[in-house]
Amino acid sequence: MNSHSARPKAPAAAQVLAVLRYVAGQAGPVSASVIARDLDLPRSTTYQLIASLIDDGFLVHLPEERKYALGVTAHELGTGYSRQAPIQRIARHPLSRLVARTRRTAHLAVMHGRDVVYVIEERAPRQRPLVTDTGVRLPAHLTASGRAMMAQMDPAQVAALFPGPEAFAVRNSNGPQSLPALQDLLARARSLGYAWEQDEVTEGFSSVAVAVLDRQRYPVASVTLTVSNRAFPGGPRRQAKDAETAEERAVRIEDVAREWVPEVTRCAREISRRLGPQA
């Protein structure tokens, strides 16, 4: 018998976690009556659970509003999660295996405002260093990493991140420079299941990326594979002598995607699976 299936349930613990998760998912403070209604809990039970969460500092009562919000302990729990860097720990081995299979450099990135921050770089052997080293921050709309995550966000959230023309940084004179252009690009990425960029971060290199989704199917990170534009359509099976001209050496992003997106998708899904079953 599976030990997990045999493990007894703890209804009170499940209920208190449900309340905490619900409050954390709201845009602002929420009343007890709304919590009870949305979680289908008796009002008396709801108040008992709220009282326990307040006692331990997970919630605070806002008497003027007659509502409840996250408390200091919830913040400490969140910062503890950040300190342990679980996404990096969870992703490290899948990313290493991706590099071993493809012999190309791979990255894990997370969103930070309108930027992406690269939290892991797994450099392939004999591959030149890229600008996207660990800790580097770049405009999300110019990177395959950022586009992969934003393609999985609500369009209204993306619009809030890019309220005007000043939000669109320029690098190498490439990339979308307006919200409609960005939304069109994200819609195509959403349809294809991957995002891409070519020469927009580093001239001479192309990248493809797939989002990593958490339990609520929210994009918490993305996996990106970067290849040199001196590769040839059809990938590493082609030899340099098979191409003679610059036009033949040029890589179309469709060729990169055909060769590498299945492997990137496999890696991103493995990391998503490790984050927990999706709702």
Side-chain angles (χ1 to χ4, degrees):
M1 179 180 293
N2 187 296
S3 61
H4 291 285
S5 61
R7 186 178 299 158
K9 301 290 185 180
Q15 288 177 335
V16 77
L17 288 173
V19 171
L20 183 59
R21 185 180 297 113
Y22 178 83
V23 175
Q26 304 310 302
V30 63
S31 67
S33 61
V34 170
I35 296 172
R37 181 197 68 199
D38 289 356
L39 296 181
D40 195 22
L41 292 171
R43 288 176 65 91
S44 59
T45 300
T46 301
Y47 279 108
Q48 291 172 0
L49 296 171
I50 288 173
S52 296
L53 288 166
I54 289 174
D55 288 344
D56 286 331
F58 285 99
L59 293 183
V60 293
H61 184 219
L62 306 175
E64 293 81 10
E65 302 180 44
R66 297 183 180 180
K67 293 181 179 180
Y68 300 88
L70 292 178
V72 173
T73 305
H75 173 72
E76 291 173 348
L77 190 64
T79 56
Y81 182 94
S82 299
R83 285 195 302 272
Q84 293 181 17
I87 186 69
Q88 290 97 314
R89 292 173 181 267
I90 288 170
R92 179 73 67 182
H93 291 297
L95 209 66
S96 295
R97 289 195 292 270
L98 172 63
V99 172
R101 292 193 302 269
T102 63
R103 298 184 181 276
R104 298 295 186 273
T105 296
H107 298 86
L108 186 79
V110 298
M111 289 287 294
H112 192 279
R114 289 195 293 266
D115 295 339
V116 294
V117 178
Y118 294 90
V119 295
I120 300 178
E121 181 191 53
E122 285 288 337
R123 191 180 305 165
R126 296 183 295 279
Q127 296 294 302
R128 58 168 280 191
L130 300 171
V131 68
T132 47
D133 199 356
T134 300
V136 168
R137 181 191 300 251
L138 289 174
H141 69 289
L142 297 181
T143 68
S145 303
R147 293 170 185 173
M149 288 182 276
M150 290 190 292
Q152 300 301 318
M153 294 179 182
D154 188 285
Q157 183 177 359
V158 176
L161 290 172
F162 296 89
E166 70 283 353
F168 291 89
V170 178
R171 182 183 177 89
N172 295 334
S173 301
N174 291 317
Q177 293 301 301
S178 69
L179 183 60
L182 176 60
Q183 295 283 31
D184 286 348
L185 189 61
L186 298 181
R188 187 179 173 203
R190 192 178 306 114
S191 174
L192 292 172
Y194 68 90
W196 67 93
E197 64 83 16
Q198 189 168 37
D199 297 314
E200 293 167 72
V201 174
T202 302
E203 290 188 10
F205 285 86
S206 299
S207 297
V208 289
V210 176
V212 173
L213 306 179
D214 68 6
R215 291 169 56 93
Q216 304 303 317
R217 301 191 64 80
Y218 185 81
V220 294
S222 61
V223 174
T224 304
L225 197 74
T226 300
V227 303
S228 169
N229 289 350
R230 295 184 66 83
F232 302 100
R237 301 178 185 87
R238 297 283 300 273
Q239 299 296 321
K241 62 184 177 58
D242 294 334
E244 298 294 338
T245 68
E247 289 76 13
E248 289 175 314
R249 288 196 300 269
V251 173
R252 292 186 301 117
I253 201 66
E254 292 86 355
D255 297 315
V256 176
R258 188 180 305 111
E259 185 74 23
W260 304 120
V261 164
E263 291 291 351
V264 177
T265 300
R266 175 182 171 186
C267 180
R269 287 179 177 172
E270 169 64 12
I271 298 169
S272 297
R273 185 190 66 77
R274 290 177 174 221
L275 291 173
Q278 295 177 354

